[in-house]
Amino acid sequence: MSATSRRRTAQNRVLWLLDRLEREPRGDAVIGVLRERVRSLPLGRGRDVLHGRWLGHPVHPLLVQVPIGSWLSAAVLDLRPGRSREAGLLVGVGLAAAAPAALAGAVDWAELHRQQQRVGLVHAAANVAAVGLYAASLVSRARGRTLAGRAYGFLGLTAVGAGGMLGGHLAYRQASGANHAEEVPHVVSRGWRRIGSVDEFPVGQAVRRAVDDVPILVVRETGGTLHALAERCSHLAGPLSEGTVADGCVQCPWHGSVFRLSDGWNVRGPATAPQPAFDTRITDGHVEIRLRQQDGAEPTGNGRAEDGQTAADRRHSRVGPTGRSHRHGPHRHGD
């Protein structure tokens, strides 16, 4: 067998093992218990802080940089004679920083799909092993057993590498923590699109439509105002049309993320990204929507020409069947 074939076989074996891990159900009972315990933690608003809603993406990848960087730096110093004291300090810094990183990761993990949680459980186990090894390294160094401290440190770094590989699989292969609505502005064509007559949208009910094969959530309020958002939740693509509509918001039925209907803002996590929003108007008794511009273009209703809209479109939007405009632009509600 050639070297290229051997490398390809080894690579395929790693992917096969990871795919098998996703399908392995034997740890599901443990996952269920741990998930409920994490969800029951009395974190209050701190839960959204740990999810990273304030940052716009998960905060866990940011927090793990401190322990990983500290431990990697400690390993470099351990390769040089007479630097064990400095290396021990870095090991301690990494251990202190591991706690908030682990808490943020656990909060995110509790709101994932089961296949992702299976990989995440092994990822967490590898990191727990790393923490244990680095704790042993720190104790050994404090007792003057420098060689043992270095050995534990290198073993801990190996465990960190394994955990990092699984974390990368979670983030990039399984798309945990990714914005699942990011592609909407790139695949929906510009301009107004008719999605049905007004009567097809009962007041207060979530209705699912599609534009360019992209699912859209449409909600008509009591006063006649229409709201339209991308229908797949930005957290993990949950169906918002099956969620609960209340107080000007919609709640995802899968993991409880709450989005404001007027502009798609994520009022509550675990979603860290808002939903793409659409402008709406009523023309000849039919509802039309258009992706709301988010790149500095002028908003709807300002009297100026809009990208992708012809003069006839503008006249049509200004004068409806009753001689009045029937366009609904952004209208904010409180959180």
Side-chain angles (χ1 to χ4, degrees):
M1 181 183 293
S2 66
T4 301
S5 298
R6 286 195 296 270
R7 285 195 298 269
R8 186 178 297 120
T9 301
Q11 181 185 20
N12 292 342
R13 185 177 297 114
V14 171
L15 294 176
W16 178 81
L17 288 172
L18 290 171
D19 289 340
R20 183 176 179 180
L21 178 59
E22 294 178 14
R23 299 190 300 269
E24 179 55 60
R26 284 183 289 184
D28 288 356
V30 175
I31 289 174
V33 173
L34 292 177
R35 179 190 60 195
E36 294 308 314
R37 289 185 178 180
V38 172
R39 286 180 172 179
S40 65
L41 291 174
L43 298 174
R45 293 184 177 180
R47 191 173 296 273
D48 274 357
V49 174
L50 291 169
H51 281 309
R53 191 174 72 88
W54 58 275
L55 188 60
H57 61 76
V59 73
H60 173 67
L62 175 65
L63 294 178
V64 300
Q65 303 307 309
V66 179
I68 292 176
S70 298
W71 291 335
L72 180 59
S73 299
V76 173
L77 291 179
D78 276 338
L79 294 175
R80 300 185 61 188
R83 305 303 295 269
S84 180
R85 182 176 180 180
E86 292 86 348
L89 176 62
L90 288 170
V91 168
V93 170
L95 287 171
L103 181 58
V107 169
D108 287 341
W109 172 85
E111 307 299 339
L112 296 177
H113 294 313
R114 182 51 55 91
Q115 291 85 354
Q116 296 166 328
Q117 288 178 332
R118 290 167 180 165
V119 176
L121 183 64
V122 182
H123 166 72
N127 290 331
V128 168
V131 168
L133 289 166
Y134 274 111
S137 174
L138 189 62
V139 171
S140 297
R141 294 171 195 269
R143 293 177 177 177
R145 300 169 56 197
T146 303
L147 291 178
R150 290 177 178 175
Y152 281 126
F154 286 122
L155 288 173
L157 189 62
T158 301
V160 167
M165 183 269 293
L166 291 168
H169 185 80
L170 270 166
Y172 300 114
R173 180 72 176 267
Q174 295 183 299
S176 63
N179 177 8
H180 287 258
E182 191 278 336
E183 79 281 358
V184 172
H186 308 292
V187 297
V188 174
S189 57
R190 295 193 175 196
W192 292 99
R193 311 294 292 277
R194 183 167 292 188
I195 58 173
S197 65
V198 176
D199 295 339
E200 296 177 35
F201 303 94
V203 173
Q205 295 186 22
V207 178
R208 186 180 186 273
R209 287 293 184 267
V211 172
D212 293 330
D213 295 326
V214 175
I216 307 296
L217 166 74
V218 182
V219 177
R220 180 184 173 196
E221 291 188 333
T222 303
T225 301
L226 286 154
H227 300 297
L229 303 176
E231 194 263 349
R232 292 300 182 185
C233 178
S234 63
H235 175 231
L236 283 176
L240 294 182
S241 60
E242 299 176 15
T244 303
V245 175
D247 300 325
C249 297
V250 60
Q251 182 175 20
C252 179
W254 282 5
H255 302 101
S257 297
V258 177
F259 301 94
R260 196 160 51 199
L261 289 169
S262 60
D263 57 7
W265 184 253
N266 46 320
V267 176
R268 189 169 73 238
T272 59
Q275 292 295 115
F278 291 75
D279 293 324
T280 66
R281 70 181 184 185
I282 299 175
T283 303
D284 297 332
H286 289 82
V287 178
E288 295 181 345
I289 66 172
R290 179 188 63 178
L291 184 67
R292 188 168 300 166
Q293 299 300 317
Q294 299 173 346
D295 56 2
E298 294 292 340
T300 303
N302 61 6
R304 299 184 183 181
E306 296 147 346
D307 293 339
Q309 189 180 26
T310 65
D313 288 335
R314 293 193 293 277
R315 288 195 300 271
H316 199 190
S317 67
R318 285 196 296 269
V319 182
T322 62
R324 293 179 298 174
S325 173
H326 290 270
R327 180 186 297 163
H328 302 282
H331 178 69
R332 290 185 174 273
H333 294 272
D335 288 350

